[in-house]
């Protein structure tokens, strides 16, 4: 059968192609990429043929290609302006397996307090595992290069255009989460990696999300964008990615919405009016309409609420994957710190900042201290909430805490199950009925032997003081909201999240709500960890005396212990004797135990004398013992009543001493000869003074006993956990067509316009414009020009060894960041080096194992030369230069 020779346009492999494939698409056996016959550059016949036969043949090929182009149409085209280049006949999927097991820190602590290594195999913990493993999708394009060779122009992640915490569109965080990964060559080629089996189907399912990124890249291409879509799976349990290396490929220059689109301008104008959102409506031909009333100024993190905040709430509800929306403060590898965990991509947003601050405010409710300034806010809080007592003060009143030597951990939560939204049976209308979270608390997981035991007892074993504090917060929520802005703003979040949870129930398949992902989010940064707030509440009273609420509030003192963690061990403990006291806690050790503590104390002092105290604390128990030691060493000022008692005792003791001295002098005078009259007078005086002495002594002794019985009572507090649950399924979204609130809402909004409308007793109301938009082109992002400017500065280099197939690539992203890849064909290994500020940040090595898996490992080598511009290995005669150089 006649063949012709041609070069693969992707990997430059010389191919012999049967003539019977003319007009068809076939796959390169080396790089597995698809191409259409005839291939450019023109093929060369392997046998001599007449010019006439060649002419007829070429004409036939051209006709076949033309006919194929006319009659072939790809299923579900990407956009009306795209051209598919995928196969005309099904091409079998080729799957490869990529292992990232060696890259995982299996000792990392997930938000449940468990180790990542054990949690990977528990399907019920997928939500907690997701943030640790989804990001390894970044290995997928590297695996393709190891399998098929380097791209003509090296690619890099689209995320390289966006720094954490800076202004960026809402879709960026979804890519940063890792379930979607997109790379670009900064010209006209991009690869998209999506979860699924079939890349074309995965693209269709994710189109409304990825189109925003592709639209940006199409502007960068200044013409058609060539897109390769790949499907993959992430096997958490085995720490493996399975990648279908057969892409769905197409070319397009626009990525328009496929449904009616939200009117973002109208929604922006609505939020600019500052209404308190009351409800919404969904109507075909009109889209999503929001309704609000005149009320308190709507703020988030001290800023007026904007459309970007709705976009954050929408993203948290619709695109969180298994890691549903929440915020929590959880155990850290360093027991003196807590990890700040977010779900639903709430990190680095104003919404996330508010829920974090609201969670931290529980520290004021328990200790009385502000979690940021660490000032004593107890009296400040009582100005707004007269019934307020900190959890520590309530413990002092209960008097039970000090009889129990066991440390009781508590986690505080806000739950959304009381946030109500009523809707009709068609999901057309929604009215917010109760925009308020409910506070609750539970015991820490670490206090129980098993998860089952924890679930049974986590609430009914709470201390009475904690239960009373939670009840007071829920009962006086409005007053607490006046005292603390983040609690007030939490109500605003309840409105936004409640509406988005209703929208997820309604699922309007005719409306492209993912248009919200194009909204720019303002720059914001949230903490990833915090130092433990450790405090001691101190109160002085007799052991027999039970103080009242007024005494505790007026006379107790709160000491902030956390700063001591930053002091040196030698400065804090001074001697090994004090370290023994720290190690033994409140217990008096036995002789044998004391000897053991002596040895350990000497070792600790020798090892950590010049280190920070926190460096010596390796477990939760160490932190507890440290807090107990410091609290026990506190010397609080005594209250006025105690000082008055001491003054009275001192005065009476002085009087007794004076009486005793006078009596002795009288006795000395009585021993000298004198007249009977003088002697009898001295006797009378002596007896009077003795009687007075006895009377004073009788009165003084009980007072001294009472004084000696005074005891400093301490409460040690280590706040380890807490959070806010924002999971959409937990909101109380109800279909109730007969709801009085819903009926009243529907009647009211019939009179509301997109300017403020006075509804009499109902006050002023406003709605967003009700014209849905089907845009013909995607509006440029406000920050897109900055991204294009960044891309224009990126430099690329490629060098291929034609002898053995080894190759190297380099990308200079900016003055600070660079990436280099090096493939050794003889060893069949690929090294990937990441640099920042001229320093090596990571070095990965990829290699196939005996089963054909591509295994990634971290290289121990650290002597990798920092990148140069151009790289030292670049030479004009042996390199292929891509991009701008």
């Amino acid at each position: 059968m006649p063949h012709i020779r041609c070069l693969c346009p992707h990997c430059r492999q010389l191919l012999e192609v049967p003539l019977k494939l003319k007009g068809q698409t076939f796959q390169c056996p080396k790089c597995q990429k698809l191409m259409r016959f005839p291939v450019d550059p023109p093929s060369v016949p392997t046998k001599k043929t007449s010019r006439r036969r060649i002419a007829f043949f070429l004409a036939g090929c051209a006709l076949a290609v033309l006919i194929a182009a006319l009659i072939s149409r790809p299923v579900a085209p990407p956009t009306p302006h795209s051209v598919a280049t995928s196969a005309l006949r099904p091409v079998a999927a080729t799957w490869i397996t990529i292992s990232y097991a060696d890259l995982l820190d299996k000792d990392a602590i997930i938000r449940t307090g468990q180790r990542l290594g054990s949690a990977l195999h528990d399907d019920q913990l997928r939500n907690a595992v997701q943030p640790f493993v989804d990001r390894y999708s970044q290995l997928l394009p590297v695996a393709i290069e190891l399998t098929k060779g380097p791209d003509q122009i090296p690619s890099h992640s689209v995320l390289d255009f966006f720094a954490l915490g800076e202004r960026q569109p809402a879709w960026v965080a979804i890519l940063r989460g890792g379930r979607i990964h997109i790379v670009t060559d900064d010209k006209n080629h991009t690869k998209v990696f999506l979860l699924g089996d079939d890349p074309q189907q995965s693209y269709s399912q994710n189109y409304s999300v990825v189109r925003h990124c592709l639209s940006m890249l199409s502007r960068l291409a200044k013409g058609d964008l060539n897109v390769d879509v790949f499907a993959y799976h992430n096997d958490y349990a085995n720490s493996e990615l399975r990648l279908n290396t057969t892409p769905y490929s197409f070319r397009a220059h626009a990525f328009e919405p496929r449904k009616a689109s939200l009117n973002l301008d109208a929604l922006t104008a609505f939020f600019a009016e500052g209404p308190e959102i009351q409800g919404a409506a969904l109507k075909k031909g009109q889209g999503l309409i929001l309704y609000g009333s005149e009320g308190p100024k709507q703020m988030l993190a001290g800023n007026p609420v904007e459309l970007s905040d709705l976009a954050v709430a929408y993203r948290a509800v619709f695109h969180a994957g298994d890691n549903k929306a929440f915020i929590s403060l959880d155990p850290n590898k360093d027991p003196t710190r807590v990890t700040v965990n977010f779900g639903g991509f709430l990190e680095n947003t104003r919404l996330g900042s508010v829920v974090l601050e609201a969670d931290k405010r529980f520290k004021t409710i328990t200790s009385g201290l502000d979690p940021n300034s660490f000032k004593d806010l107890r009296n400040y809080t009582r100005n707004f909430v007269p019934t307020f007592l900190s959890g520590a003060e309530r413990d002092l009143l209960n008097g039970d805490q000090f009889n129990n030597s066991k440390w009781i951990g508590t986690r505080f939560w806000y739950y959304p199950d009381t946030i109500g939204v009523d809707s009709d049976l068609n999901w057309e209308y929604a009215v917010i009925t109760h925009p308020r979270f409910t506070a609750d608390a539970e015991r820490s997981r670490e206090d129980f032997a098993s998860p089952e035991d924890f679930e049974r007892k986590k609430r009914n074993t709470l201390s009475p003081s904690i239960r009373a504090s939670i009840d007071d917060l829920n009962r006086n929520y409005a007053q607490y909201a006046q005292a603390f802005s983040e609690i007030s703003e939490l109500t605003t979040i309840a409105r936004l999240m409640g509406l988005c949870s209703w929208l997820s129930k309604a699922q309007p398949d005719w409306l492209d709500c993912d248009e919200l992902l194009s909204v720019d989010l303002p720059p914001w940064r949230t903490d990833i960890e915090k130092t433990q707030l450790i405090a001691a509440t101190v109160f002085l009273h007799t052991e027999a005396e039970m103080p009242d609420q007024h005494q505790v509030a007026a006379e107790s003192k709160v000491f902030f212990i956390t700063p001591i963690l930053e002091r040196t061990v030698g400065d804090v403990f001074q001697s090994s004797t004090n370290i023994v006291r720290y190690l033994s806690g409140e217990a008096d050790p036995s002789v044998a135990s004391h000897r053991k503590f002596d040895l350990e104390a000497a070792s600790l002092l020798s090892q950590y004398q010049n280190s920070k105290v926190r460096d010596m604390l390796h477990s939760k128990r160490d932190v507890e013992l440290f807090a107990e030691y410091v609290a026990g060493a506190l010397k609080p000022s005594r209250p006025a009543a105690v000082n008055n008692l001491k003054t009275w005792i001192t005065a009476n003791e002085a009087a007794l001493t004076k009486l005793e001295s006078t009596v002795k002098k009288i006795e000395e005078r009585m021993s000298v000869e004198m007249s009977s009259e003088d002697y009898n007078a001295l006797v009378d005086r002596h007896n009077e003074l003795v009687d007075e002495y006895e009377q004073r002594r009788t009165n003084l002794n009980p007072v001294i006993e009472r004084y000696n019985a005074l005891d400093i009572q301490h409460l040690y507090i280590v706040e380890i956990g807490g959070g806010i649950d924002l999971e959409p399924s937990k909101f109380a979204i109800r279909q109730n067509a007969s709801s009085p609130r819903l009926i009243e809402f529907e009647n009211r909004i019939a009179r509301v316009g997109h300017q403020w409308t006075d509804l009499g007793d109902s006050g002023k109301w406003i709605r967003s414009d009700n014209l849905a938009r089907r845009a013909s082109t995607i509006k440029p992002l406000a920050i897109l020009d900055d991204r294009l400017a960044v891309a224009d500065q990126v430099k690329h280099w490629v060098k291929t060894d034609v002898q053995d197939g080894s190759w190297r690539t380099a990308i200079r992203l900016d003055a600070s960041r660079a990436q280099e890849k090096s493939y050794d064909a003889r060893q069949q290994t690929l090294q990937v080096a990441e640099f920042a500020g001229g320093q090596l940040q990571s070095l990965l090595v990829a290699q196939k194992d005996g089963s054909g898996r591509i295994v990634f490992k971290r290289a121990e080598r650290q002597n990798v030369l920092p990148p140069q511009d151009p790289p030292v290995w670049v030479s004009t005669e042996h390199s292929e230069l891509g991009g701008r150089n």
Side-chain angles (χ1 to χ4, degrees), residues 467-497:
R467 184 73 269 160
S469 293
I470 292 297
D471 291 343
D472 189 68
L473 173 58
N474 288 325
R475 185 168 51 249
N476 301 295
Y477 188 95
Q479 289 89 334
Y480 279 97
Q482 289 181 326
F484 304 110
S485 61
E486 61 271 20
I487 295 181
S488 174
E489 293 174 356
L490 204 57
T491 302
T492 303
I493 292 175
R495 294 180 183 276
L496 293 174
M497 293 292 295

Side-chain angles (χ1 to χ4, degrees), residues 628-649:
E628 291 172 2
Y629 170 80
V630 175
L634 291 173
K635 299 185 182 300
S637 59
R638 297 174 182 271
V642 175
N643 290 332
N644 292 338
L645 189 63
K646 175 63 175 177
T647 301
W648 188 89
I649 292 173

Side-chain angles (χ1 to χ4, degrees), residues 64 114 139 156 255 287 305 323 342 417 427 434 444 526 551 562 575 593 596 599 698 709 725 745 801 855 877:
Q114 296 168 256
L139 303 176
H156 64 91
F255 298 87
V305 175
N323 195 26
F342 290 95
D417 50 359
W427 299 108
H434 189 265
S444 295
T526 50
Q551 282 180 284
T562 300
S575 67
S593 296
K596 174 185 176 183
L599 294 174
T698 301
D725 189 347
F745 175 75
D801 188 329
V855 178
E877 59 178 323

Side-chain angles (χ1 to χ4, degrees), residues 574-651:
Q574 300 291 322
S575 67
S576 60
T577 301
N578 288 330
I579 296 183
V580 169
R581 293 195 183 102
Y582 147 71
L583 292 172
S584 59
E586 295 182 350
D588 186 12
S590 64
V591 175
S593 296
H594 205 296
R595 191 176 301 113
K596 174 185 176 183
F597 285 140
D598 281 339
L599 294 174
E600 186 177 356
S603 175
L604 289 174
L605 186 61
S606 172
Q607 183 177 356
Y608 294 102
Q609 183 169 8
N610 298 318
S611 301
K612 293 180 179 180
V613 170
R614 73 183 331 142
D615 296 333
M616 191 178 73
L617 308 179
H618 302 295
S619 67
K620 176 186 172 185
R621 181 56 181 160
D622 288 346
V623 178
E624 294 171 359
L625 291 172
F626 162 73
E628 291 172 2
Y629 170 80
V630 175
L634 291 173
K635 299 185 182 300
S637 59
R638 297 174 182 271
V642 175
N643 290 332
N644 292 338
L645 189 63
K646 175 63 175 177
T647 301
W648 188 89
I649 292 173
T650 301

Side-chain angles (χ1 to χ4, degrees), residues 51-257:
R51 292 184 178 179
R52 185 176 182 181
R53 290 184 63 186
I54 294 175
F56 275 112
F57 168 70
L58 293 177
C61 289
L63 180 61
V65 171
L66 178 61
I67 293 173
L70 290 174
I71 66 173
S72 64
R73 182 183 303 172
V75 179
T79 75
H81 304 284
S82 64
V83 179
T85 59
S86 55
L88 294 180
R89 62 178 181 177
V91 178
T94 304
W95 291 85
I96 60 174
T97 300
I98 302 125
S99 172
Y100 56 84
D102 292 325
L103 303 181
L104 287 175
D105 177 7
K106 295 184 179 179
D107 288 329
I109 306 295
I110 66 171
R111 71 172 187 252
T112 62
Q114 296 168 256
R115 302 282 176 178
L116 175 62
S118 62
L120 287 170
H121 303 279
D122 189 342
D123 282 342
Q124 295 183 349
L125 296 177
R126 284 185 62 85
N127 55 350
V129 169
Q130 179 179 315
F132 292 88
V133 296
D134 276 0
R135 62 176 180 260
Y136 288 105
S137 60
Q138 63 185 307
L139 303 176
L140 296 169
V142 181
I144 290 178
E145 289 185 286
L146 178 63
T147 304
K148 301 183 178 182
D151 294 326
Q152 291 180 335
I153 301 175
S155 297
H156 64 91
S157 172
V158 170
L159 294 174
D160 291 326
F161 293 144
F162 303 95
L164 280 171
E166 73 172 15
R167 190 172 187 86
Q168 53 197 247
W171 56 261
V172 172
I174 299 176
L175 268 64
R176 188 170 282 118
R179 295 165 75 87
I180 297 175
H181 187 64
I182 301 178
V183 297
T184 176
D185 68 356
D186 302 302
K187 284 194 171 181
N188 62 355
H189 189 203
T190 185
K191 295 190 182 82
V192 180
F193 298 87
L194 303 170
L195 290 170
D197 294 307
D198 179 81
Q200 186 171 353
Q201 184 180 38
S202 295
Y203 177 75
S204 180
Q205 292 170 345
N206 291 275
Y207 176 75
S208 61
V209 177
V210 301
R211 72 178 181 88
H212 301 295
C213 179
L214 296 180
S215 178
M216 182 188 77
L217 296 177
S218 68
R219 286 198 62 197
L220 179 61
K222 299 177 182 179
D224 284 351
L225 182 68
N226 295 301
V227 182
D228 291 331
V229 182
F230 296 86
Y232 78 98
H233 291 279
N234 193 339
D235 182 349
Y236 291 2
N238 293 312
S239 303
E240 290 180 344
L241 302 165
R242 292 191 64 250
L243 173 65
N244 181 352
T245 61
T246 304
Y248 166 54
S249 301
F250 62 88
R251 188 170 65 250
H253 66 267
F255 298 87
E256 300 174 355

